[in-house]
Amino acid sequence: MTNVLISGASIGGPALAYWLRHHGFDVTVVERHRGLRPGGQAVDVRGPALDVVERMGLGDRLRSMTTGMRGMSVVDEEGTELHRSTEHTLTGGDLASPDVEVMRDDLARLLFDAVEGVEYLFDDTITAIDGTRVTFERAAPRDFDVVVGADGLHSNVRRLVFGPEAQFVRHLGTNLAVFTAPNFLGLDHWQVFQQGEVVGGGVMSARANAECRVYMGFYGEVDFDHRDVEAQRRLVAEEFADAGWEWQTALKHMWEAPDFHFDAMAQVRMPSWSRGGVVLLGDAGYCGSPLSGQGTSLALVGAYVLAGELSVNRETAFQRYEELLRPYVTANQDMALKNQANGGQPTEEFAAVVSSFQLPGR
């Protein structure tokens, strides 16, 4: 039986584990965190990614977890409403579309619970990959037939096998923090955004209005340690020190948030997603950035395609995976750059790009 190691237990990793088990593979997942990582922004499942979830038999459960947004407002620094819409939101797009918006951690839990017969190594990480031999920080070294890096923008697997991330990561000039807070604005399935010249972001209610997720972003490229969370909080606090609207209240909640996450908006562009018996999935190999609105969907589709190709022919699987998926990935990454030039709003071609991929019938 083919033995596969997946690094990363967020979205792409558990989705791939599901499909590999479906095809009869032996699967181990290693995750740096002590359990499933909490928090994260609202994510969207669209187009062929919805078909993937339906084929997993999880469509109804996914839709039951929707954020249920009714609309959004845009305000100025004094809190005066400049615009409102009950037709679309900044985080989820067109409210009349079949797309499903859920919180990232809810989707991660849904996928995790759907997988059976998978070994999870939590609170551990890969320290070396030598051919088929994998060395861990805690677990004993083991041999695997295939190693998959599904470990995000700052992929450890990519660094170990392909080289420093500076070769592949393209900063898009914006940084974003996301964290959970009490629903301090009293929002009812609603989101409010405020954008200044340098800083901005928004607040959206979550979990039936019991809490909210706060987005705080600012322009410019900054040097930071992506493992040093407290330094990241200080960086956000400095940038928002003089910001108006409700940002000072948001900062107070930021210091207490157990799930604070901060990173640059960036893309990963690589000439190849595989080397030897190692292959990359999702953001690790082809991050589109939040500006694409497609990161989660690309990971779900990529997991389905990769598992399907491995089930057909392991020798040609990586090549076929890339041949099938790269045009779709490139179209979504290019669309993210157009969205950025359009002030962060999806361009008219967004829906066409989303639906342009046809899932193989595995």
Side-chain angles (χ1 to χ4, degrees):
M1 180 182 292
T2 300
N3 189 8
V4 180
L5 173 66
I6 302 170
S7 178
S10 182
I11 303 300
L16 178 62
Y18 174 92
W19 288 111
L20 288 173
R21 290 296 299 150
H22 173 79
H23 292 299
F25 289 78
D26 188 11
V27 181
T28 299
V29 178
V30 59
E31 168 57 48
R32 180 184 296 273
H33 291 266
R34 295 182 179 181
L36 297 182
R37 181 170 64 85
Q41 64 198 64
V43 299
D44 303 288
V45 183
R46 298 182 164 115
L50 271 175
D51 293 336
V52 171
V53 174
E54 291 288 359
R55 294 183 188 188
M56 297 173 78
L58 300 175
D60 289 342
R61 290 182 62 190
L62 178 73
R63 282 183 284 272
S64 73
M65 298 161 58
T66 180
T67 60
M69 288 291 103
R70 298 185 298 109
M72 66 168 290
S73 301
V74 177
V75 300
D76 63 17
E77 285 197 344
E78 285 71 44
T80 301
E81 187 172 275
L82 305 175
H83 169 75
R84 73 164 37 214
S85 174
T86 55
E87 297 180 355
H88 75 276
T89 64
L90 193 61
T91 63
D94 183 2
L95 295 179
S97 77
D99 304 345
V100 180
E101 181 184 58
V102 297
M103 305 315 297
R104 188 212 64 86
D105 44 356
D106 287 343
L107 177 58
R109 172 59 64 178
L110 176 66
L111 296 171
F112 176 82
D113 289 343
V115 184
E116 297 180 354
V118 170
E119 176 190 19
Y120 278 88
L121 303 176
F122 285 110
D123 195 23
D124 206 347
T125 189
I126 299 170
T127 58
I129 301 173
D130 183 10
T132 62
R133 191 71 167 174
V134 176
T135 304
F136 300 94
E137 186 174 82
R138 297 178 182 273
R142 290 161 61 177
D143 290 304
F144 294 91
D145 299 305
V146 175
V147 177
V148 182
D151 45 354
L153 176 64
H154 302 292
S155 171
N156 180 47
V157 171
R158 188 185 63 226
R159 178 183 60 82
L160 290 171
V161 176
F162 296 86
E165 71 173 46
Q167 300 179 51
F168 311 113
V169 176
R170 175 182 178 182
H171 197 299
L172 299 184
T174 305
N175 311 278
L176 183 66
V178 182
F179 56 90
T180 299
N183 188 0
F184 61 94
L185 295 182
L187 300 176
D188 180 9
H189 295 92
W190 198 263
Q191 54 188 247
V192 183
F193 279 81
Q194 189 274 319
Q195 181 63 53
E197 293 184 3
V198 178
V199 302
V203 179
M204 66 178 291
S205 63
R207 305 258 165 77
N209 302 325
E211 62 186 41
C212 71
R213 294 289 165 93
V214 181
Y215 299 75
M216 301 180 73
F218 58 90
Y219 296 117
E221 294 192 27
V222 293
D223 292 325
F224 66 95
D225 182 348
H226 70 273
R227 297 290 180 200
D228 191 341
V229 175
E230 291 310 304
Q232 295 164 20
R233 291 185 207 256
R234 291 194 298 270
L235 179 59
V236 174
E238 290 170 5
E239 293 290 337
F240 278 81
D242 299 320
W245 188 49
E246 298 285 349
W247 291 125
Q248 301 313 306
T249 302
L251 284 174
K252 292 177 182 178
H253 292 300
M254 179 194 74
W255 292 109
E256 302 169 357
D259 57 2
F260 175 88
H261 177 74
F262 174 84
D263 215 329
M265 285 198 184
Q267 292 191 339
V268 174
R269 302 232 184 188
M270 304 183 68
S272 175
W273 301 334
S274 64
R275 180 171 293 176
V278 179
V279 64
L280 301 175
L281 170 67
D283 283 357
Y286 38 88
C287 178
S289 87
L291 288 165
S292 73
Q294 281 285 89
T296 296
S297 290
L298 287 176
L300 290 169
V301 172
Y304 178 86
V305 173
L306 177 57
E309 294 306 318
L310 283 168
S311 74
V312 173
N313 187 332
R314 206 176 90 201
E315 299 302 315
T316 62
F318 295 168
Q319 178 183 344
R320 285 288 299 154
Y321 162 63
E322 194 159 336
E323 287 175 352
L324 288 170
L325 204 61
R326 185 173 282 275
Y328 188 56
V329 165
T330 301
N332 278 280
Q333 290 183 320
D334 291 346
M335 182 180 63
L337 299 182
K338 293 178 181 178
N339 291 346
Q340 182 183 36
N342 196 39
Q345 296 296 322
T347 61
E348 292 182 357
E349 65 185 302
F350 181 76
V353 171
V354 167
S355 61
S356 63
F357 186 79
Q358 184 67 41
L359 283 181
R362 300 289 182 216

